[in-house]
Amino acid sequence: MVGFWHRLGTKGKALYSATLSPPFSSPLTLPNIWVPTQTPHRPLSSGFHRATGQTQSAAEIMSGKPIAKDIKLRVAAEISRMKAAIGRLPGLAVVLVGYREDSHAYVHTKLKACNEVGIETYIVQLPQDCTQDRLIDVVSSFNSNPSVHGIIVQLPLPEHLDEETIIIFVSPEKDVDGFHPLNMGNLALRGREPLFIPCAPKACIELLLRYRVEIIGKNAVVIGRSKIAGLSTSLLLQRHHAMVSTLHSFTNNPEQITRRADIVVSDVGIPNRVGCNWLMPGAVVVDMGTNSVKDPNSPRGFRTTGDVCYEEAIKVVSAITPVPGGVGPVVISMLLSNTLDSAKRAYGFT
């Protein structure tokens, strides 16, 4: 079987509500400093600011669930308005290669979220031994389909396929993952705006802004430099005038560097890699790691954990994202936001 097409309908109408106005405004327009999409949550205590010399007694848990819910509701309301005005809906295409359980789980979550807000979805599943030419043909067909406004090629791909080549074949105007060199390059250059910012870094910054974490002039450390999260998170923090250090596998004395950081973002994919001895008292931690750890007490036989040792960190930091339930839900909502933005641009809808 070379592949199959599957189209999902638009469900989740209960999310549409006229009471959700004002219309959703994407946080992705990049002025000198981008503001959050909604009224921030209650501010963090003064433990985050070194100048006060104070630390708070209990860390703020920066949950992403209420933020994701708010953004999804606003996206749904705006899609409903688009449908009523011009009779069109955003469309998202997902290309899945192989049989990785985690990739299938991620795709399922994305498609479910699209259904809830009214985004039409298309999926092509290709076998593990799919050729590069076949994959390029599928991507090209979505590039030329006017009903498709966003294209995701689920990563990672099987080793015999060249990820960078495939990413380049995705039209920059439909690159809702934000990985195309044109979008990444524009993100890196001051005075230019990418069409899309990768969803994970976009979610990270949104969380910080919603919880009123001061970024300007702060020391920020990003552990990891993947294109999916670490690299573009570093670029976004620089856009917000933080002093950013990026740590990787060749960094000497990473613990010493991280202990000087006001903001720590981790994206290494190693469970509990960052302990309390890596963290400055009062720091803010955004854990972007998603790792499966064996747990005989769990019905599934494993549990999901982040890169940061949560039980240790929560005793030291002023704020931290949980895993799961922190960055993850916001990442999905940002995918919906990017797809909506793409459809608006395509239809000239404001």
Side-chain angles (χ1 to χ4, degrees):
M1 179 180 67
V2 183
F4 65 86
W5 287 84
H6 178 53
R7 176 172 176 172
L8 297 175
T10 56
K11 300 180 182 178
K13 303 297 184 183
L15 285 176
Y16 300 1
S17 172
T19 62
L20 296 175
S21 297
F24 177 79
S25 175
S26 169
L28 215 50
T29 301
L30 284 173
N32 286 333
I33 302 173
W34 121 42
V35 296
T37 58
Q38 180 62 312
T39 304
H41 289 63
R42 64 187 177 89
L44 297 173
S45 80
S46 58
F48 173 68
H49 302 286
R50 281 187 191 177
T52 65
Q54 300 175 1
T55 56
Q56 67 181 46
S57 58
E60 175 91 15
I61 308 304
M62 299 191 293
S63 173
K65 292 180 179 179
I67 298 172
K69 181 179 179 181
D70 175 70
I71 294 173
K72 286 173 69 177
L73 288 169
R74 292 173 176 272
V75 168
E78 194 70 350
I79 291 173
S80 183
R81 188 174 72 90
M82 176 187 288
K83 183 178 181 181
I86 63 175
R88 301 295 183 90
L89 293 171
L92 177 68
V94 180
V95 184
L96 181 60
V97 183
Y99 313 106
R100 285 179 59 113
E101 289 187 12
D102 55 348
S103 291
H104 279 259
Y106 294 147
V107 167
H108 174 76
T109 301
K110 293 171 183 177
L111 297 179
K112 180 182 177 182
C114 286
N115 274 341
E116 290 173 348
V117 300
I119 294 175
E120 292 191 309
T121 52
Y122 309 81
I123 180 169
V124 171
Q125 181 171 336
L126 299 171
Q128 182 78 16
D129 60 355
C130 166
T131 66
Q132 186 144 304
D133 286 344
R134 171 57 180 153
L135 181 52
I136 289 173
D137 286 343
V138 170
V139 172
S140 297
S141 70
F142 283 136
N143 282 338
S144 59
N145 186 339
S147 296
V148 171
H149 308 101
I151 301 171
I152 293 175
V153 179
Q154 184 64 40
L155 301 179
L157 293 172
E159 291 185 0
H160 69 281
L161 298 174
D162 186 344
E163 285 188 1
E164 294 304 319
T165 298
I166 301 303
I167 288 170
I168 290 172
F169 266 90
V170 175
S171 169
E173 291 80 11
K174 299 185 179 185
D175 172 39
V176 289
D177 266 338
F179 298 153
H180 192 282
L182 179 65
N183 287 319
M184 289 291 288
N186 283 337
L187 179 61
L189 296 173
R190 290 194 65 182
R192 296 192 181 184
E193 287 189 18
L195 294 170
F196 304 100
I197 290 175
C199 300
K202 188 179 175 185
C204 171
I205 298 298
E206 183 76 6
L207 267 164
L208 292 174
L209 294 176
R210 293 273 192 135
Y211 282 93
R212 289 184 175 174
V213 175
E214 187 176 348
I215 302 176
I216 299 174
K218 296 300 179 181
N219 289 324
V221 165
V222 179
I223 308 172
R225 52 180 175 177
S226 72
K227 62 175 173 286
I228 294 176
L231 174 60
S232 40
T233 300
S234 296
L235 296 173
L236 276 181
L237 286 166
Q238 290 180 56
R239 288 258 187 167
H240 287 269
H241 310 297
M243 297 172 288
V244 184
S245 299
T246 303
L247 309 189
H248 47 76
S249 56
F250 294 95
T251 301
N252 293 321
N253 302 317
E255 300 96 331
Q256 294 181 19
I257 298 172
T258 307
R259 277 199 297 268
R260 297 195 293 267
D262 301 297
I263 301 170
V264 177
V265 180
S266 184
D267 171 43
V268 292
I270 302 175
N272 300 321
R273 182 69 178 91
V274 179
C276 63
N277 61 321
W278 287 56
L279 302 170
M280 180 182 72
V284 172
V285 176
V286 179
D287 192 346
M288 302 177 81
T290 304
N291 312 293
S292 295
V293 177
K294 290 183 179 180
D295 184 355
N297 296 321
S298 171
R300 298 181 297 174
F302 67 91
R303 58 185 172 86
T304 301
T305 187
D307 297 338
V308 179
C309 184
Y310 186 84
E311 292 77 10
E312 291 183 8
I314 200 171
K315 301 174 183 177
V316 176
V317 303
S318 64
I320 187 170
T321 58
V323 178
V327 179
V330 188
V331 173
I332 299 298
S333 70
M334 291 305 183
L335 172 63
L336 307 178
S337 172
N338 280 357
T339 305
L340 171 61
D341 287 346
S342 183
K344 282 185 167 183
R345 192 158 44 231
Y347 294 135
F349 183 76
T350 58

